[in-house]
């Protein structure tokens, strides 16, 4: 089999194409997180931790925007918040270090999911398809 000088072997072309189609799109995805700003002794933080905390990561919202916890007195340097953080808990939806929106306070489980859904929709955060893990019958 003859090869022209300067041409790439077929196996290397296939490898590069596979890399471009699988790895590069994952690297290009924006990192979206939900930052929970809390403080020691916050009763509403404790209530969120009890009602939502155990299930958040298992939900479509939790998969689309994994939870990141921060303390109110020490805001992280890698996030550009639109304004100061004064209430706990405050939930800030962040993409690549920039604030997309926030929920100040915890209004209870039912309102939280509705507000978070609206915030994600307005910010263009797509929810992954739900899985059937744990379902019976």
């Amino acid at each position: 089999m003859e090869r022209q000088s300067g041409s790439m072997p077929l196996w290397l072309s296939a490898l590069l194409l596979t890399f471009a189609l699988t790895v590069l799109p994952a690297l290009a995805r924006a990192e979206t997180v939900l930052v929970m700003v809390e403080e020691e002794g916050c009763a509403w933080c404790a209530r969120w931790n009890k009602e939502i905390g155990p299930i958040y990561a298992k939900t479509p919202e939790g998969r689309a925007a994994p939870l990141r916890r921060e303390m109110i007195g020490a805001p992280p340097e890698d996030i550009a918040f639109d304004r100061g953080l004064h209430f706990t808990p405050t939930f800030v939806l962040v993409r690549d270090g920039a604030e997309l929106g926030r929920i100040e306070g915890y209004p209870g489980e039912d309102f939280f999911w509705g507000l978070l859904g609206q915030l994600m929709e307005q910010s263009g955060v797509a929810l992954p398809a739900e899985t059937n893990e744990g379902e019976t019958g």
Side-chain angles (χ1 to χ4, degrees):
M1 181 186 284
E2 288 187 34
R3 227 174 25 120
Q4 294 180 344
S5 70
S7 66
M8 190 179 303
L10 185 58
W11 68 268
L12 185 55
S13 297
L15 181 65
L16 289 174
L17 180 61
T18 301
F19 178 83
L21 293 175
T22 58
V23 176
L24 291 179
L27 293 175
R29 278 190 212 117
E31 182 185 14
T32 303
V33 295
L34 182 67
V35 178
M36 178 182 179
V37 180
E38 56 191 324
E39 68 182 320
E40 197 72 32
C42 168
W44 292 102
C45 300
R47 185 171 165 195
W48 187 92
N49 286 328
K50 180 182 177 192
E51 295 175 356
I52 306 291
I55 62 169
Y56 181 77
K58 300 172 187 174
T59 66
E61 293 85 354
R63 291 191 305 277
L67 186 67
R68 174 177 164 179
R69 294 173 180 270
E70 297 290 342
M71 298 307 284
I72 195 164
E77 294 182 13
D78 63 329
I79 297 175
F81 293 105
D82 288 348
R83 60 186 191 278
L85 299 163
H86 305 288
F87 306 100
T88 57
T90 294
F91 301 90
V92 185
L93 190 60
V94 174
R95 181 180 296 134
D96 288 339
E99 180 175 334
L100 300 174
R102 65 175 66 187
I103 301 168
E104 292 178 319
Y106 175 59
E109 185 174 3
D110 293 334
F111 286 109
F112 174 79
W113 290 117
L115 290 171
L116 182 59
Q118 286 178 346
L119 183 58
M120 289 181 154
E121 185 177 326
Q122 292 166 356
S123 302
V125 176
L127 297 181
E130 291 204 41
T131 62
N132 293 331
E133 290 179 24
E135 286 187 9
T136 56

